[in-house]
């Protein structure tokens, strides 16, 4: 009788182990498209990359994100808006900040702050 129980347990445990290992092998993919966002932000903060280079890279990333059907990462569009603010292009700045706000409504307070601070003339 004990042998029968051991065989029965082995029949259940072996497939369960395989299912568990298979579930661990494949995880969900990233939720957002990050592309070159993080290297561009790093380049911005260190001054290694100019606004034109960053804008070109990030706008190309938007097209790649659309092609794969994923939203760009939180902050992506806001960073583009800040870059356009540095270039004194207020229209594009507002376009990207509004897009960030629509895509991530939880960022509204920060985006409103950016809009107010970037809209003020610098002294």
């Amino acid at each position: 009788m004990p042998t029968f129980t051991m065989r029965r347990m082995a029949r259940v445990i072996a497939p369960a182990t395989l299912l568990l290992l298979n579930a661990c092998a494949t995880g969900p993919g990233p939720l957002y498209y990050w592309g070159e966002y993080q290297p561009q932000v790093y380049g911005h903060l260190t001054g290694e990359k100019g606004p034109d280079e960053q804008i070109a890279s990030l706008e190309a990333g938007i097209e790649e994100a659309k092609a794969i059907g994923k939203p760009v990462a939180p902050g992506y569009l806001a960073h583009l808006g800040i870059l356009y603010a540095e270039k004194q292009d207020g229209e594009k700045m507002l376009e990207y900040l509004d897009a960030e706000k629509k895509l991530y409504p939880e960022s509204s307070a920060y985006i409103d702050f950016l809009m107010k601070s970037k809209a003020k003339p610098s002294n």
Side-chain angles (χ1 to χ4, degrees):
M1 190 72 160
T3 308
F4 176 73
T5 304
M6 294 290 280
R7 285 185 186 162
R8 196 170 186 184
M9 285 180 61
R11 287 184 187 158
V12 172
I13 291 175
T17 303
L18 289 174
L19 284 173
L20 182 64
L21 289 174
N22 189 30
C24 293
T26 57
L31 189 57
Y32 304 109
Y33 177 80
W34 291 88
E36 289 293 314
Y37 176 56
Q38 292 171 319
Q40 297 306 322
V41 170
Y42 182 78
H44 177 78
L45 295 174
T46 59
E48 294 173 358
K49 296 183 179 181
D52 291 328
E53 180 184 359
Q54 293 175 55
I55 287 170
S57 176
L58 292 175
E59 286 186 336
I62 290 173
E63 296 305 316
E64 292 172 17
K66 286 178 184 173
I68 62 171
K70 287 190 174 185
V72 292
Y76 194 107
L77 299 171
H79 186 70
L80 260 170
I82 290 170
L83 292 171
Y84 275 112
E86 288 179 5
K87 292 185 54 95
Q88 306 295 320
D89 188 341
E91 190 173 313
K92 284 283 205 178
M93 175 196 78
L94 290 175
E95 176 186 330
Y96 281 111
L97 291 179
D98 277 337
E100 176 80 20
K101 202 167 148 178
K102 285 178 186 166
L103 191 58
Y104 300 105
E106 64 274 16
S107 69
S108 293
Y110 181 62
I111 298 300
D112 290 342
F113 165 76
L114 286 176
M115 287 178 167
K116 287 178 187 170
S117 66
K118 297 295 182 187
K120 291 179 185 173
S122 59
N123 295 334

